[in-house]
Amino acid sequence: MTTHLRRILATLTLFFTEFTVTLLLGIAGVVGFLALGREVFDQDAATFDAAAFRCARKLLGPRQQWVEAITFLASRNFITVAGCLLINWFLLIRRHRWNSLLVPVVALGSITLNLALKQFYHRPRPLLPLVSASGLSFPSGHAMISSSFYGLLIYLCYTYVRRPLWRWLLIAGLVLLIVLIGITRVYLRVHYATDVLAGFTAGLVWLLVAIPVLKQLEKRWKKPFENPAQTAEKQPE
């Protein structure tokens, strides 16, 4: 078997593996979200949500300032600032315009989809919240935004961080942050646990849709977007 043929087979194997994993995760995410939505509609999740409130309280203990600091990391104000900084970093330092496009698509798409789902399910927030919160409850916007935005950072770390130790430390830290954000939303009684699980699931599904679509667009139109100077040189005077 020639080296060229081996490379082709290796590329095809990698493609089909990535496609299969993405497809299975997407299907599992959609099924999981629909199952959670049905539980909410049928009001069968009350026992689970009540137990989650108690567990979150025992896990985090008495109310502390760091809880609100963690939950702030998935607020729209923080994500807007962090997203703008990340876009500028890709544009000015990394010179990768497609990644700079990926950030707003994931963030804005996640927020828009979350608002649409909230209106569809129209679930009120829990009673007696520890902090003020407005709007509807299902799915959790903080959970959905955190899983999509920080999930995007996980994807970028996995793709671009070359040193394995740093790569996996960053990924582990981001995963921990996502989980903590979800727990704090339940702890502060601004969301039910089912809201948070649904938010995580919907954010992951949106991420699995957005990244492959933009990667395909990048392959088709990469030259005009990535090399405008070269394109201009080829134009007749």
Side-chain angles (χ1 to χ4, degrees):
M1 184 179 294
T2 64
T3 303
H4 182 65
L5 182 57
R6 289 178 180 176
R7 289 178 180 176
I8 293 176
L9 291 176
T11 302
L12 289 175
T13 302
L14 179 61
F15 170 77
F16 283 115
T17 301
E18 290 182 349
F19 176 79
T20 302
V21 171
T22 302
L23 180 63
L24 291 176
L25 286 174
I27 292 174
V30 171
V31 172
F33 182 87
L34 293 176
L36 287 168
R38 182 178 178 181
E39 292 294 313
V40 170
F41 267 139
D42 295 341
Q43 298 183 349
D44 292 335
T47 303
F48 172 77
D49 286 327
F53 282 134
R54 294 192 297 270
C55 288
R57 192 70 181 177
K58 290 180 181 179
L59 181 64
L60 300 185
R63 184 177 173 184
Q64 302 177 34
Q65 290 184 345
W66 69 267
V67 173
E68 294 186 36
I70 291 293
T71 200
F72 174 74
L73 296 179
S75 65
R76 293 179 188 176
N77 291 337
F78 179 82
I79 294 297
T80 299
V81 174
C84 289
L85 291 175
L86 189 59
I87 290 171
N88 287 326
W89 186 73
F90 277 123
L91 284 175
L92 302 177
I93 299 177
R94 294 290 299 181
R95 304 287 183 178
H96 200 305
R97 296 186 179 182
W98 277 96
N99 279 346
S100 68
L101 179 62
L102 189 59
V103 175
V105 167
V106 169
L108 294 177
S110 180
I111 292 172
T112 304
L113 181 59
N114 179 258
L115 293 174
L117 290 171
K118 282 180 182 290
Q119 291 300 319
F120 178 76
Y121 285 97
H122 218 271
R123 187 188 199 185
R125 288 185 182 270
L127 299 175
L128 304 175
L130 299 183
V131 294
S132 61
S134 60
L136 297 167
S137 192
F138 185 93
S140 166
H142 278 65
M144 188 167 174
I145 292 171
S146 66
S147 65
S148 58
F149 182 77
Y150 293 114
L152 173 61
L153 294 185
I154 290 173
Y155 165 77
L156 294 174
C157 288
Y158 182 79
T159 304
Y160 294 107
V161 177
R162 295 182 179 179
R163 295 186 178 181
L165 177 61
W166 282 108
R167 181 196 306 147
W168 292 113
L169 282 176
L170 288 170
I171 290 174
L174 289 168
V175 170
L176 179 61
L177 177 60
I178 293 172
V179 173
L180 281 175
I181 288 171
I183 294 174
T184 59
R185 300 310 284 172
V186 178
Y187 177 87
L188 295 171
R189 294 187 64 90
V190 290
H191 280 294
Y192 298 102
T194 43
D195 299 337
V196 171
L197 292 176
F200 284 158
T201 304
L204 176 62
V205 170
W206 171 244
L207 194 64
L208 291 173
V209 170
I211 290 177
V213 169
L214 284 180
K215 284 179 68 176
Q216 290 301 316
L217 290 175
E218 180 183 11
K219 289 179 180 179
R220 292 191 177 188
W221 292 298
K222 185 174 182 179
K223 289 184 179 180
F225 279 88
E226 293 292 344
N227 301 302
Q230 294 180 7
T231 304
E233 290 177 0
K234 294 180 181 179
Q235 296 291 334
E237 298 182 357

